[in-house]
Amino acid sequence: MQIDRLPALSDNYIFLLHDPTRQEAAVVDPADATPVLRRLEQLGAKLVAIFNTHHHHDHVGGNARLLQHFPAAIVYGGINDQGRIPGQTVSLQEGDHVTFGDRSAQVFFIPGHTKAHIAYYFPPVKPNDTGELFCGDTLFAGGCGRLFEGTPAQMIDSLSKLRQLPDNTRVWCAHEYTLKNLQFALTVDQQNPDLQHRLAIVEAARQRSEATVPSVLGVEKRTNPFLRWDDREIRAKVKASNDIQTFSRLRGMKDMF
């Protein structure tokens, strides 16, 4: 399975999964149909599936037009997003599996950013391969999504599921927010050498207009404060006494950053 990262809108990423053996493709969170159609034409591939993580327009905005070109494509989304995702034909919940080509992905129910958010995790085929996590707007490189429809407790539970995945999992998040996320992270985790090193790398990459997605989950566990709500130093920094309070204060601080 090959993965293409397609920039869209101002800072979105769309992910095109390609099976060259079958000349079939699937797309994750098509914000806009145009770059998807252009890449499909270049590949000579047929779109067979749309994997949506949640209903926000910058993740489903291309669904309708893609279905005009590929009416047989299956549209996947969370069971609680029924009626909110254009063209949704399959409703998924925690523990379900979806297939593309010869790969199978596990579905995680990860509310917080929205009430219906899901993620797709393709485990590695071989021991030294990477897993592939498509997590929409729940986990970002260096950050996490805003809480539009969920609670801090829900988001901690959702991120806990993702945090348990193997360190070499690639994190395909849907926005190029990494630099600002890490700049915020440094305000609550100043003494973290891994974070300092990562920020320098990301600053240089963005100066060259290079993408910082995908990230790697092991790096996120060491440098992303929204996966480290149980870190004693971060908890002390935000003057919190428990996990939920720590996360809530981090999220509130980031919203104002």
Side-chain angles (χ1 to χ4, degrees):
M1 182 176 74
Q2 300 174 358
I3 304 173
D4 282 351
R5 180 189 57 235
L6 308 177
L9 306 181
S10 61
D11 53 32
N12 275 71
Y13 290 127
I14 302 167
F15 306 113
L16 189 76
L17 317 183
H18 180 221
D19 180 350
T21 302
R22 296 176 174 85
Q23 282 301 83
E24 293 179 343
V27 65
V28 181
D29 284 349
D32 180 8
T34 299
V36 180
L37 293 170
R38 183 184 304 120
R39 186 60 178 147
L40 289 170
E41 183 178 5
Q42 292 170 346
L43 294 170
K46 176 178 69 173
L47 186 70
V48 298
I50 298 174
F51 296 122
N52 290 123
T53 61
H54 64 293
H55 75 287
H56 285 163
H57 184 71
D58 62 334
H59 293 255
V60 304
N63 281 25
R65 187 172 165 214
L66 289 174
L67 289 171
Q68 291 175 358
H69 290 264
F70 300 95
I74 300 171
V75 180
Y76 297 87
I79 191 169
N80 296 324
D81 259 336
Q82 289 176 328
R84 305 204 297 180
I85 292 178
Q88 182 173 344
T89 50
V90 176
S91 297
L92 301 167
Q93 53 191 331
E94 177 82 17
D96 283 345
H97 288 79
V98 298
T99 59
F100 171 69
D102 60 355
R103 300 288 296 273
S104 176
Q106 181 180 351
V107 175
F108 291 97
F109 176 51
I110 50 170
H113 180 64
T114 70
K115 67 179 183 180
H117 205 300
I118 61 174
Y120 304 87
Y121 170 63
F122 290 86
V125 175
K126 300 175 183 178
N128 294 326
D129 288 350
T130 60
E132 314 294 350
L133 174 66
F134 298 93
C135 51
D137 284 358
T138 294
L139 174 64
F140 290 131
C144 77
R146 289 176 180 263
L147 303 183
F148 288 121
E149 296 180 349
T151 66
Q154 285 179 314
M155 194 63 141
I156 286 179
D157 183 64
S158 296
L159 291 170
S160 293
K161 296 176 185 178
L162 306 184
R163 191 170 71 166
Q164 292 171 7
L165 294 173
D167 283 1
N168 69 340
T169 301
R170 292 197 292 183
V171 179
W172 300 87
C173 52
H175 291 275
E176 183 56 70
Y177 291 164
T178 314
L179 179 57
K180 188 171 183 179
N181 285 342
L182 295 181
Q183 290 169 340
F184 167 75
L186 198 64
T187 68
V188 296
D189 198 15
Q190 297 98 324
Q191 305 306 314
N192 184 336
D194 291 326
L195 174 57
Q196 295 167 0
H197 179 64
R198 184 183 184 190
L199 177 57
I201 291 174
V202 167
E203 286 175 335
R206 294 308 295 155
Q207 287 175 0
R208 299 188 297 267
S209 299
E210 294 176 358
T212 64
V213 174
S215 179
V216 178
L217 190 56
V219 174
E220 296 304 321
K221 293 176 185 180
R222 296 192 301 273
T223 60
N224 186 335
F226 294 100
L227 290 182
R228 303 176 66 229
W229 57 82
D230 47 5
D231 180 87
R232 287 184 295 179
E233 292 185 5
I234 292 178
R235 180 170 295 180
K237 179 68 177 181
V238 301
K239 298 180 172 60
S241 59
N242 57 54
D243 291 349
I244 293 177
Q245 189 177 62
T246 301
F247 184 89
S248 298
R249 292 185 177 179
L250 283 170
R251 188 61 260 176
M253 292 167 68
K254 177 61 171 64
D255 290 346
M256 300 297 292
F257 185 73

PDB file of all heavy atoms in Angstrom, residues 64-101:
ATOM      1  N   ALA A  64     -18.838  14.533  -2.319  1.00  0.00           N
ATOM      2  CA  ALA A  64     -19.899  14.533  -3.331  1.00  0.00           C
ATOM      3  C   ALA A  64     -19.323  14.516  -4.751  1.00  0.00           C
ATOM      4  O   ALA A  64     -19.781  13.759  -5.609  1.00  0.00           O
ATOM      5  CB  ALA A  64     -20.807  15.739  -3.127  1.00  0.00           C
ATOM      6  N   ARG A  65     -18.327  15.334  -4.990  1.00  0.00           N
ATOM      7  CA  ARG A  65     -17.753  15.396  -6.339  1.00  0.00           C
ATOM      8  C   ARG A  65     -17.009  14.107  -6.676  1.00  0.00           C
ATOM      9  O   ARG A  65     -17.061  13.637  -7.827  1.00  0.00           O
ATOM     10  CB  ARG A  65     -16.817  16.600  -6.449  1.00  0.00           C
ATOM     11  CG  ARG A  65     -16.315  16.829  -7.869  1.00  0.00           C
ATOM     12  CD  ARG A  65     -15.562  18.121  -7.969  1.00  0.00           C
ATOM     13  NE  ARG A  65     -14.792  18.193  -9.208  1.00  0.00           N
ATOM     14  CZ  ARG A  65     -13.634  18.790  -9.341  1.00  0.00           C
ATOM     15  NH1 ARG A  65     -13.091  19.403  -8.288  1.00  0.00           N
ATOM     16  NH2 ARG A  65     -12.994  18.804 -10.484  1.00  0.00           N
ATOM     17  N   LEU A  66     -16.329  13.519  -5.707  1.00  0.00           N
ATOM     18  CA  LEU A  66     -15.646  12.258  -5.965  1.00  0.00           C
ATOM     19  C   LEU A  66     -16.652  11.163  -6.316  1.00  0.00           C
ATOM     20  O   LEU A  66     -16.404  10.331  -7.196  1.00  0.00           O
ATOM     21  CB  LEU A  66     -14.820  11.849  -4.742  1.00  0.00           C
ATOM     22  CG  LEU A  66     -13.578  12.690  -4.466  1.00  0.00           C
ATOM     23  CD1 LEU A  66     -12.932  12.287  -3.144  1.00  0.00           C
ATOM     24  CD2 LEU A  66     -12.557  12.554  -5.607  1.00  0.00           C
ATOM     25  N   LEU A  67     -17.804  11.193  -5.660  1.00  0.00           N
ATOM     26  CA  LEU A  67     -18.827  10.186  -5.949  1.00  0.00           C
ATOM     27  C   LEU A  67     -19.450  10.392  -7.325  1.00  0.00           C
ATOM     28  O   LEU A  67     -19.934   9.435  -7.935  1.00  0.00           O
ATOM     29  CB  LEU A  67     -19.904  10.202  -4.864  1.00  0.00           C
ATOM     30  CG  LEU A  67     -19.465   9.657  -3.502  1.00  0.00           C
ATOM     31  CD1 LEU A  67     -20.534   9.913  -2.454  1.00  0.00           C
ATOM     32  CD2 LEU A  67     -19.142   8.171  -3.594  1.00  0.00           C
ATOM     33  N   GLN A  68     -19.432  11.617  -7.810  1.00  0.00           N
ATOM     34  CA  GLN A  68     -19.898  11.851  -9.179  1.00  0.00           C
ATOM     35  C   GLN A  68     -19.007  11.124 -10.183  1.00  0.00           C
ATOM     36  O   GLN A  68     -19.482  10.593 -11.187  1.00  0.00           O
ATOM     37  CB  GLN A  68     -19.928  13.343  -9.485  1.00  0.00           C
ATOM     38  CG  GLN A  68     -20.994  14.120  -8.740  1.00  0.00           C
ATOM     39  CD  GLN A  68     -20.909  15.616  -8.987  1.00  0.00           C
ATOM     40  OE1 GLN A  68     -20.010  16.101  -9.695  1.00  0.00           O
ATOM     41  NE2 GLN A  68     -21.825  16.374  -8.407  1.00  0.00           N
ATOM     42  N   HIS A  69     -17.720  11.098  -9.905  1.00  0.00           N
ATOM     43  CA  HIS A  69     -16.764  10.440 -10.793  1.00  0.00           C
ATOM     44  C   HIS A  69     -16.664   8.940 -10.523  1.00  0.00           C
ATOM     45  O   HIS A  69     -16.403   8.158 -11.455  1.00  0.00           O
ATOM     46  CB  HIS A  69     -15.381  11.076 -10.638  1.00  0.00           C
ATOM     47  CG  HIS A  69     -15.279  12.470 -11.191  1.00  0.00           C
ATOM     48  ND1 HIS A  69     -14.798  12.736 -12.458  1.00  0.00           N
ATOM     49  CD2 HIS A  69     -15.609  13.665 -10.643  1.00  0.00           C
ATOM     50  CE1 HIS A  69     -14.830  14.040 -12.668  1.00  0.00           C
ATOM     51  NE2 HIS A  69     -15.309  14.628 -11.586  1.00  0.00           N
ATOM     52  N   PHE A  70     -16.873   8.541  -9.266  1.00  0.00           N
ATOM     53  CA  PHE A  70     -16.740   7.138  -8.885  1.00  0.00           C
ATOM     54  C   PHE A  70     -17.938   6.741  -8.025  1.00  0.00           C
ATOM     55  O   PHE A  70     -17.828   6.579  -6.806  1.00  0.00           O
ATOM     56  CB  PHE A  70     -15.427   6.915  -8.113  1.00  0.00           C
ATOM     57  CG  PHE A  70     -14.195   7.269  -8.890  1.00  0.00           C
ATOM     58  CD1 PHE A  70     -13.602   8.520  -8.752  1.00  0.00           C
ATOM     59  CD2 PHE A  70     -13.631   6.354  -9.783  1.00  0.00           C
ATOM     60  CE1 PHE A  70     -12.468   8.855  -9.471  1.00  0.00           C
ATOM     61  CE2 PHE A  70     -12.491   6.681 -10.506  1.00  0.00           C
ATOM     62  CZ  PHE A  70     -11.910   7.940 -10.356  1.00  0.00           C
ATOM     63  N   PRO A  71     -19.120   6.594  -8.657  1.00  0.00           N
ATOM     64  CA  PRO A  71     -20.348   6.370  -7.882  1.00  0.00           C
ATOM     65  C   PRO A  71     -20.367   5.056  -7.104  1.00  0.00           C
ATOM     66  O   PRO A  71     -21.170   4.918  -6.168  1.00  0.00           O
ATOM     67  CB  PRO A  71     -21.443   6.392  -8.950  1.00  0.00           C
ATOM     68  CG  PRO A  71     -20.742   6.121 -10.245  1.00  0.00           C
ATOM     69  CD  PRO A  71     -19.376   6.711 -10.104  1.00  0.00           C
ATOM     70  N   ALA A  72     -19.518   4.122  -7.463  1.00  0.00           N
ATOM     71  CA  ALA A  72     -19.493   2.841  -6.736  1.00  0.00           C
ATOM     72  C   ALA A  72     -18.594   2.871  -5.506  1.00  0.00           C
ATOM     73  O   ALA A  72     -18.545   1.882  -4.754  1.00  0.00           O
ATOM     74  CB  ALA A  72     -19.044   1.721  -7.676  1.00  0.00           C
ATOM     75  N   ALA A  73     -17.892   3.963  -5.277  1.00  0.00           N
ATOM     76  CA  ALA A  73     -16.997   4.042  -4.124  1.00  0.00           C
ATOM     77  C   ALA A  73     -17.800   3.941  -2.829  1.00  0.00           C
ATOM     78  O   ALA A  73     -18.881   4.518  -2.693  1.00  0.00           O
ATOM     79  CB  ALA A  73     -16.202   5.343  -4.152  1.00  0.00           C
ATOM     80  N   ILE A  74     -17.259   3.219  -1.877  1.00  0.00           N
ATOM     81  CA  ILE A  74     -17.891   3.060  -0.566  1.00  0.00           C
ATOM     82  C   ILE A  74     -17.415   4.189   0.349  1.00  0.00           C
ATOM     83  O   ILE A  74     -16.221   4.476   0.415  1.00  0.00           O
ATOM     84  CB  ILE A  74     -17.536   1.695   0.039  1.00  0.00           C
ATOM     85  CG1 ILE A  74     -18.013   0.566  -0.876  1.00  0.00           C
ATOM     86  CG2 ILE A  74     -18.146   1.538   1.425  1.00  0.00           C
ATOM     87  CD1 ILE A  74     -17.512  -0.801  -0.466  1.00  0.00           C
ATOM     88  N   VAL A  75     -18.354   4.811   1.039  1.00  0.00           N
ATOM     89  CA  VAL A  75     -18.027   5.919   1.943  1.00  0.00           C
ATOM     90  C   VAL A  75     -18.185   5.451   3.387  1.00  0.00           C
ATOM     91  O   VAL A  75     -19.282   5.081   3.816  1.00  0.00           O
ATOM     92  CB  VAL A  75     -18.927   7.141   1.678  1.00  0.00           C
ATOM     93  CG1 VAL A  75     -18.555   8.283   2.627  1.00  0.00           C
ATOM     94  CG2 VAL A  75     -18.808   7.585   0.228  1.00  0.00           C
ATOM     95  N   TYR A  76     -17.079   5.465   4.112  1.00  0.00           N
ATOM     96  CA  TYR A  76     -17.051   5.002   5.494  1.00  0.00           C
ATOM     97  C   TYR A  76     -17.041   6.198   6.442  1.00  0.00           C
ATOM     98  O   TYR A  76     -16.405   7.212   6.174  1.00  0.00           O
ATOM     99  CB  TYR A  76     -15.803   4.170   5.764  1.00  0.00           C
ATOM    100  CG  TYR A  76     -15.709   2.897   4.964  1.00  0.00           C
ATOM    101  CD1 TYR A  76     -15.132   2.880   3.690  1.00  0.00           C
ATOM    102  CD2 TYR A  76     -16.165   1.691   5.488  1.00  0.00           C
ATOM    103  CE1 TYR A  76     -15.018   1.702   2.963  1.00  0.00           C
ATOM    104  CE2 TYR A  76     -16.067   0.504   4.770  1.00  0.00           C
ATOM    105  CZ  TYR A  76     -15.495   0.524   3.515  1.00  0.00           C
ATOM    106  OH  TYR A  76     -15.388  -0.638   2.788  1.00  0.00           O
ATOM    107  N   GLY A  77     -17.710   6.046   7.572  1.00  0.00           N
ATOM    108  CA  GLY A  77     -17.692   7.050   8.625  1.00  0.00           C
ATOM    109  C   GLY A  77     -18.185   6.442   9.920  1.00  0.00           C
ATOM    110  O   GLY A  77     -18.664   5.305   9.954  1.00  0.00           O
ATOM    111  N   GLY A  78     -18.071   7.209  10.997  1.00  0.00           N
ATOM    112  CA  GLY A  78     -18.503   6.721  12.302  1.00  0.00           C
ATOM    113  C   GLY A  78     -20.010   6.564  12.373  1.00  0.00           C
ATOM    114  O   GLY A  78     -20.767   7.307  11.731  1.00  0.00           O
ATOM    115  N   ILE A  79     -20.438   5.621  13.195  1.00  0.00           N
ATOM    116  CA  ILE A  79     -21.873   5.347  13.302  1.00  0.00           C
ATOM    117  C   ILE A  79     -22.639   6.559  13.813  1.00  0.00           C
ATOM    118  O   ILE A  79     -23.801   6.782  13.444  1.00  0.00           O
ATOM    119  CB  ILE A  79     -22.118   4.110  14.197  1.00  0.00           C
ATOM    120  CG1 ILE A  79     -23.572   3.649  14.101  1.00  0.00           C
ATOM    121  CG2 ILE A  79     -21.699   4.378  15.652  1.00  0.00           C
ATOM    122  CD1 ILE A  79     -23.815   2.287  14.732  1.00  0.00           C
ATOM    123  N   ASN A  80     -21.986   7.373  14.641  1.00  0.00           N
ATOM    124  CA  ASN A  80     -22.659   8.562  15.170  1.00  0.00           C
ATOM    125  C   ASN A  80     -22.589   9.757  14.235  1.00  0.00           C
ATOM    126  O   ASN A  80     -23.094  10.827  14.559  1.00  0.00           O
ATOM    127  CB  ASN A  80     -22.058   8.931  16.529  1.00  0.00           C
ATOM    128  CG  ASN A  80     -22.295   7.866  17.578  1.00  0.00           C
ATOM    129  OD1 ASN A  80     -23.339   7.230  17.586  1.00  0.00           O
ATOM    130  ND2 ASN A  80     -21.328   7.648  18.451  1.00  0.00           N
ATOM    131  N   ASP A  81     -21.979   9.562  13.072  1.00  0.00           N
ATOM    132  CA  ASP A  81     -21.942  10.618  12.060  1.00  0.00           C
ATOM    133  C   ASP A  81     -22.966  10.386  10.952  1.00  0.00           C
ATOM    134  O   ASP A  81     -22.957  11.101   9.942  1.00  0.00           O
ATOM    135  CB  ASP A  81     -20.540  10.733  11.442  1.00  0.00           C
ATOM    136  CG  ASP A  81     -19.741  11.888  12.026  1.00  0.00           C
ATOM    137  OD1 ASP A  81     -20.365  12.838  12.534  1.00  0.00           O
ATOM    138  OD2 ASP A  81     -18.501  11.842  11.977  1.00  0.00           O
ATOM    139  N   GLN A  82     -23.836   9.416  11.115  1.00  0.00           N
ATOM    140  CA  GLN A  82     -24.867   9.172  10.109  1.00  0.00           C
ATOM    141  C   GLN A  82     -25.682  10.445   9.898  1.00  0.00           C
ATOM    142  O   GLN A  82     -26.144  11.074  10.846  1.00  0.00           O
ATOM    143  CB  GLN A  82     -25.786   8.038  10.566  1.00  0.00           C
ATOM    144  CG  GLN A  82     -25.136   6.675  10.543  1.00  0.00           C
ATOM    145  CD  GLN A  82     -26.058   5.597  11.086  1.00  0.00           C
ATOM    146  OE1 GLN A  82     -26.871   5.843  11.966  1.00  0.00           O
ATOM    147  NE2 GLN A  82     -25.932   4.393  10.573  1.00  0.00           N
ATOM    148  N   GLY A  83     -25.828  10.838   8.629  1.00  0.00           N
ATOM    149  CA  GLY A  83     -26.544  12.050   8.301  1.00  0.00           C
ATOM    150  C   GLY A  83     -25.670  13.289   8.267  1.00  0.00           C
ATOM    151  O   GLY A  83     -26.136  14.356   7.853  1.00  0.00           O
ATOM    152  N   ARG A  84     -24.413  13.167   8.674  1.00  0.00           N
ATOM    153  CA  ARG A  84     -23.514  14.325   8.685  1.00  0.00           C
ATOM    154  C   ARG A  84     -22.375  14.197   7.682  1.00  0.00           C
ATOM    155  O   ARG A  84     -21.685  15.180   7.414  1.00  0.00           O
ATOM    156  CB  ARG A  84     -22.936  14.542  10.085  1.00  0.00           C
ATOM    157  CG  ARG A  84     -23.978  14.685  11.190  1.00  0.00           C
ATOM    158  CD  ARG A  84     -23.471  15.442  12.397  1.00  0.00           C
ATOM    159  NE  ARG A  84     -22.376  14.792  13.090  1.00  0.00           N
ATOM    160  CZ  ARG A  84     -21.789  15.305  14.184  1.00  0.00           C
ATOM    161  NH1 ARG A  84     -22.195  16.474  14.678  1.00  0.00           N
ATOM    162  NH2 ARG A  84     -20.790  14.669  14.786  1.00  0.00           N
ATOM    163  N   ILE A  85     -22.148  12.992   7.156  1.00  0.00           N
ATOM    164  CA  ILE A  85     -21.089  12.763   6.176  1.00  0.00           C
ATOM    165  C   ILE A  85     -21.730  12.513   4.822  1.00  0.00           C
ATOM    166  O   ILE A  85     -22.499  11.557   4.668  1.00  0.00           O
ATOM    167  CB  ILE A  85     -20.192  11.577   6.589  1.00  0.00           C
ATOM    168  CG1 ILE A  85     -19.382  11.945   7.833  1.00  0.00           C
ATOM    169  CG2 ILE A  85     -19.264  11.180   5.454  1.00  0.00           C
ATOM    170  CD1 ILE A  85     -18.490  10.818   8.344  1.00  0.00           C
ATOM    171  N   PRO A  86     -21.449  13.344   3.815  1.00  0.00           N
ATOM    172  CA  PRO A  86     -22.077  13.180   2.500  1.00  0.00           C
ATOM    173  C   PRO A  86     -21.781  11.807   1.900  1.00  0.00           C
ATOM    174  O   PRO A  86     -20.628  11.391   1.814  1.00  0.00           O
ATOM    175  CB  PRO A  86     -21.447  14.295   1.664  1.00  0.00           C
ATOM    176  CG  PRO A  86     -20.999  15.320   2.655  1.00  0.00           C
ATOM    177  CD  PRO A  86     -20.581  14.542   3.865  1.00  0.00           C
ATOM    178  N   GLY A  87     -22.840  11.120   1.517  1.00  0.00           N
ATOM    179  CA  GLY A  87     -22.696   9.850   0.807  1.00  0.00           C
ATOM    180  C   GLY A  87     -22.340   8.665   1.666  1.00  0.00           C
ATOM    181  O   GLY A  87     -22.043   7.582   1.131  1.00  0.00           O
ATOM    182  N   GLN A  88     -22.355   8.816   2.996  1.00  0.00           N
ATOM    183  CA  GLN A  88     -21.928   7.715   3.865  1.00  0.00           C
ATOM    184  C   GLN A  88     -22.782   6.473   3.628  1.00  0.00           C
ATOM    185  O   GLN A  88     -24.002   6.519   3.672  1.00  0.00           O
ATOM    186  CB  GLN A  88     -22.019   8.131   5.339  1.00  0.00           C
ATOM    187  CG  GLN A  88     -21.546   7.054   6.310  1.00  0.00           C
ATOM    188  CD  GLN A  88     -21.493   7.540   7.745  1.00  0.00           C
ATOM    189  OE1 GLN A  88     -21.524   8.746   8.005  1.00  0.00           O
ATOM    190  NE2 GLN A  88     -21.407   6.622   8.694  1.00  0.00           N
ATOM    191  N   THR A  89     -22.105   5.349   3.378  1.00  0.00           N
ATOM    192  CA  THR A  89     -22.797   4.087   3.126  1.00  0.00           C
ATOM    193  C   THR A  89     -22.498   3.030   4.174  1.00  0.00           C
ATOM    194  O   THR A  89     -23.274   2.086   4.332  1.00  0.00           O
ATOM    195  CB  THR A  89     -22.433   3.533   1.735  1.00  0.00           C
ATOM    196  OG1 THR A  89     -21.005   3.523   1.591  1.00  0.00           O
ATOM    197  CG2 THR A  89     -23.025   4.391   0.629  1.00  0.00           C
ATOM    198  N   VAL A  90     -21.376   3.155   4.885  1.00  0.00           N
ATOM    199  CA  VAL A  90     -21.009   2.188   5.922  1.00  0.00           C
ATOM    200  C   VAL A  90     -20.739   2.955   7.212  1.00  0.00           C
ATOM    201  O   VAL A  90     -19.976   3.926   7.218  1.00  0.00           O
ATOM    202  CB  VAL A  90     -19.767   1.366   5.520  1.00  0.00           C
ATOM    203  CG1 VAL A  90     -19.345   0.444   6.669  1.00  0.00           C
ATOM    204  CG2 VAL A  90     -20.039   0.555   4.263  1.00  0.00           C
ATOM    205  N   SER A  91     -21.365   2.511   8.301  1.00  0.00           N
ATOM    206  CA  SER A  91     -21.209   3.153   9.600  1.00  0.00           C
ATOM    207  C   SER A  91     -20.382   2.259  10.512  1.00  0.00           C
ATOM    208  O   SER A  91     -20.706   1.081  10.700  1.00  0.00           O
ATOM    209  CB  SER A  91     -22.582   3.430  10.223  1.00  0.00           C
ATOM    210  OG  SER A  91     -23.319   4.334   9.412  1.00  0.00           O
ATOM    211  N   LEU A  92     -19.334   2.838  11.081  1.00  0.00           N
ATOM    212  CA  LEU A  92     -18.335   2.070  11.819  1.00  0.00           C
ATOM    213  C   LEU A  92     -18.348   2.422  13.299  1.00  0.00           C
ATOM    214  O   LEU A  92     -18.677   3.546  13.684  1.00  0.00           O
ATOM    215  CB  LEU A  92     -16.946   2.363  11.257  1.00  0.00           C
ATOM    216  CG  LEU A  92     -16.744   2.033   9.770  1.00  0.00           C
ATOM    217  CD1 LEU A  92     -15.458   2.645   9.268  1.00  0.00           C
ATOM    218  CD2 LEU A  92     -16.755   0.526   9.548  1.00  0.00           C
ATOM    219  N   GLN A  93     -17.943   1.450  14.119  1.00  0.00           N
ATOM    220  CA  GLN A  93     -17.809   1.674  15.543  1.00  0.00           C
ATOM    221  C   GLN A  93     -16.550   0.985  16.051  1.00  0.00           C
ATOM    222  O   GLN A  93     -15.879   0.265  15.311  1.00  0.00           O
ATOM    223  CB  GLN A  93     -19.050   1.181  16.282  1.00  0.00           C
ATOM    224  CG  GLN A  93     -19.445  -0.238  16.005  1.00  0.00           C
ATOM    225  CD  GLN A  93     -20.825  -0.565  16.547  1.00  0.00           C
ATOM    226  OE1 GLN A  93     -21.279   0.008  17.534  1.00  0.00           O
ATOM    227  NE2 GLN A  93     -21.518  -1.477  15.909  1.00  0.00           N
ATOM    228  N   GLU A  94     -16.246   1.215  17.319  1.00  0.00           N
ATOM    229  CA  GLU A  94     -15.051   0.666  17.943  1.00  0.00           C
ATOM    230  C   GLU A  94     -14.922  -0.834  17.681  1.00  0.00           C
ATOM    231  O   GLU A  94     -15.868  -1.601  17.852  1.00  0.00           O
ATOM    232  CB  GLU A  94     -15.106   0.911  19.455  1.00  0.00           C
ATOM    233  CG  GLU A  94     -13.967   0.329  20.253  1.00  0.00           C
ATOM    234  CD  GLU A  94     -12.724   1.209  20.241  1.00  0.00           C
ATOM    235  OE1 GLU A  94     -12.836   2.403  19.887  1.00  0.00           O
ATOM    236  OE2 GLU A  94     -11.647   0.705  20.597  1.00  0.00           O
ATOM    237  N   GLY A  95     -13.726  -1.237  17.235  1.00  0.00           N
ATOM    238  CA  GLY A  95     -13.455  -2.650  17.025  1.00  0.00           C
ATOM    239  C   GLY A  95     -13.776  -3.172  15.644  1.00  0.00           C
ATOM    240  O   GLY A  95     -13.401  -4.302  15.314  1.00  0.00           O
ATOM    241  N   ASP A  96     -14.463  -2.374  14.822  1.00  0.00           N
ATOM    242  CA  ASP A  96     -14.710  -2.785  13.445  1.00  0.00           C
ATOM    243  C   ASP A  96     -13.403  -2.805  12.663  1.00  0.00           C
ATOM    244  O   ASP A  96     -12.395  -2.211  13.077  1.00  0.00           O
ATOM    245  CB  ASP A  96     -15.699  -1.830  12.761  1.00  0.00           C
ATOM    246  CG  ASP A  96     -17.136  -2.067  13.177  1.00  0.00           C
ATOM    247  OD1 ASP A  96     -17.418  -3.143  13.759  1.00  0.00           O
ATOM    248  OD2 ASP A  96     -17.972  -1.176  12.932  1.00  0.00           O
ATOM    249  N   HIS A  97     -13.421  -3.462  11.520  1.00  0.00           N
ATOM    250  CA  HIS A  97     -12.275  -3.496  10.621  1.00  0.00           C
ATOM    251  C   HIS A  97     -12.728  -3.121   9.212  1.00  0.00           C
ATOM    252  O   HIS A  97     -13.861  -3.426   8.811  1.00  0.00           O
ATOM    253  CB  HIS A  97     -11.619  -4.874  10.604  1.00  0.00           C
ATOM    254  CG  HIS A  97     -10.856  -5.186  11.863  1.00  0.00           C
ATOM    255  ND1 HIS A  97     -11.468  -5.588  13.021  1.00  0.00           N
ATOM    256  CD2 HIS A  97      -9.513  -5.114  12.131  1.00  0.00           C
ATOM    257  CE1 HIS A  97     -10.554  -5.775  13.958  1.00  0.00           C
ATOM    258  NE2 HIS A  97      -9.370  -5.497  13.453  1.00  0.00           N
ATOM    259  N   VAL A  98     -11.862  -2.445   8.495  1.00  0.00           N
ATOM    260  CA  VAL A  98     -12.103  -2.130   7.085  1.00  0.00           C
ATOM    261  C   VAL A  98     -10.913  -2.655   6.292  1.00  0.00           C
ATOM    262  O   VAL A  98      -9.812  -2.815   6.829  1.00  0.00           O
ATOM    263  CB  VAL A  98     -12.273  -0.615   6.854  1.00  0.00           C
ATOM    264  CG1 VAL A  98     -13.478  -0.084   7.607  1.00  0.00           C
ATOM    265  CG2 VAL A  98     -11.022   0.157   7.269  1.00  0.00           C
ATOM    266  N   THR A  99     -11.123  -2.909   5.034  1.00  0.00           N
ATOM    267  CA  THR A  99     -10.048  -3.426   4.197  1.00  0.00           C
ATOM    268  C   THR A  99      -9.830  -2.527   2.997  1.00  0.00           C
ATOM    269  O   THR A  99     -10.756  -1.887   2.490  1.00  0.00           O
ATOM    270  CB  THR A  99     -10.355  -4.853   3.701  1.00  0.00           C
ATOM    271  OG1 THR A  99     -11.577  -4.837   2.941  1.00  0.00           O
ATOM    272  CG2 THR A  99     -10.503  -5.817   4.874  1.00  0.00           C
ATOM    273  N   PHE A 100      -8.580  -2.479   2.598  1.00  0.00           N
ATOM    274  CA  PHE A 100      -8.214  -1.854   1.326  1.00  0.00           C
ATOM    275  C   PHE A 100      -7.090  -2.677   0.733  1.00  0.00           C
ATOM    276  O   PHE A 100      -6.046  -2.873   1.376  1.00  0.00           O
ATOM    277  CB  PHE A 100      -7.770  -0.405   1.495  1.00  0.00           C
ATOM    278  CG  PHE A 100      -7.194   0.166   0.230  1.00  0.00           C
ATOM    279  CD1 PHE A 100      -8.010   0.406  -0.865  1.00  0.00           C
ATOM    280  CD2 PHE A 100      -5.830   0.409   0.109  1.00  0.00           C
ATOM    281  CE1 PHE A 100      -7.477   0.880  -2.047  1.00  0.00           C
ATOM    282  CE2 PHE A 100      -5.301   0.893  -1.067  1.00  0.00           C
ATOM    283  CZ  PHE A 100      -6.128   1.126  -2.158  1.00  0.00           C
ATOM    284  N   GLY A 101      -7.289  -3.170  -0.470  1.00  0.00           N
ATOM    285  CA  GLY A 101      -6.302  -4.039  -1.086  1.00  0.00           C
ATOM    286  C   GLY A 101      -6.105  -5.266  -0.215  1.00  0.00           C
ATOM    287  O   GLY A 101      -7.067  -5.928   0.185  1.00  0.00           O
TER     288      GLY A 101
END
